[in-house]
Amino acid sequence: MTTTTAAKRSDFMVRAGSAIILFAIAGTALWFGGLAFGLLLLVGGALMLVEWFALVRAMTLSSGAKLLLNIIGPVLALGAMAGLWFIRDQLGMTAALWVFGMVWATDIGAYFAGRAFGGARLAPTISPSKTWSGLIGGMIAALIASATIGDRAGIIGVPLWIGLFMGLLAQLGDLAQSWMKRRAGVKDSGKLIPGHGGLFDRVDGILPVALLLGALAYAGQLSVGTAG
């Protein structure tokens, strides 16, 4: 085994181990809901904001632009946390999985579609690896996740094809974070998660999706026909 191959295998094992631990923690809190899920959201939101503020400090922007971003960060984080908690508490676990599932499906679909079809770059000056085919693949994957998990959760009040829009919104969140990191001159938002970077790197797509769907649920525009 060459040194390069051994290094890649070691990196994969670190990434896989971190992913398993994160999934176990998040899955357990999501299963129990209530206080457990609320505490997870509060801790996660606080850690993400630490990374957000550090990125803003390092970015080459005017003081006014930095002030605006320092206002947007807490609003986005608190809105997303409140949205996720409300959906889990009021609509059930499967409804919360519907939200997460669309974002996870977006990431997976975008990755494989981009690898398989390649093509024109989506935003080469912000994130050179992202392609238009990946954008479309992510949206289609989110649509499939919305239809399948949403049906299981008994989601009513919004069309299940909203997954297309959520897939787009999740990728816009990813692009926005990539822009912040590029302006800050860093590869990752932090070093909290071995092999993955910062927590903000992992939740950039879920933030706008959870904020919007949580607002819809709170306004009574999103509900479930049966308990999730």
Side-chain angles (χ1 to χ4, degrees):
M1 181 184 299
T2 66
T3 303
T4 301
T5 301
K8 288 182 178 180
R9 178 170 295 182
S10 176
D11 181 63
F12 173 78
M13 294 300 294
V14 170
R15 288 176 62 85
S18 296
I20 291 171
I21 293 172
L22 286 173
F23 184 81
I25 294 173
T28 301
L30 184 61
W31 175 270
F32 284 103
L35 180 61
F37 191 54
L39 285 175
L40 175 69
L41 292 174
L42 285 175
V43 172
L47 292 173
M48 192 224 79
L49 282 176
V50 170
E51 296 175 358
W52 178 287
F53 292 137
L55 279 178
V56 174
R57 284 196 302 270
M59 292 171 70
T60 54
L61 294 172
S62 66
S63 57
K66 289 187 175 184
L67 176 61
L68 179 60
L69 284 173
N70 280 332
I71 294 173
I72 291 174
V75 171
L76 182 60
L78 290 173
M81 287 188 298
L84 285 171
W85 186 87
F86 185 85
I87 289 173
R88 172 63 182 92
D89 185 67
Q90 298 296 314
L91 306 185
M93 184 182 70
T94 310
L97 283 174
W98 175 67
V99 179
F100 284 111
M102 284 188 287
V103 178
W104 294 335
T106 298
D107 290 341
I108 296 170
Y111 174 79
F112 283 106
R115 289 288 298 269
F117 302 107
R121 301 297 172 182
L122 177 62
T125 60
I126 298 177
S127 183
S129 64
K130 290 181 173 57
T131 62
W132 283 99
S133 62
L135 175 70
I136 296 171
M139 292 173 65
I140 293 174
L143 169 63
I144 295 171
S146 175
T148 54
I149 306 175
D151 179 69
R152 176 70 176 175
I155 297 292
I156 57 175
V158 296
L160 293 183
W161 55 258
I162 199 175
L164 282 175
F165 182 67
M166 294 300 104
L168 173 62
L169 193 59
Q171 292 182 81
L172 290 178
D174 190 299
L175 278 175
Q177 198 233 19
S178 295
W179 173 78
M180 291 180 67
K181 291 190 293 186
R182 184 165 290 272
R183 294 303 297 260
V186 297
K187 180 179 180 294
D188 299 313
S189 64
K191 299 180 179 179
L192 179 66
I193 308 171
H196 290 267
L199 184 61
F200 188 22
D201 291 312
R202 303 275 63 82
V203 301
D204 51 7
I206 193 70
L207 292 174
V209 171
L211 175 62
L212 178 57
L213 293 179
L216 287 174
Y218 185 77
Q221 301 302 308
L222 176 67
S223 58
V224 294
T226 57

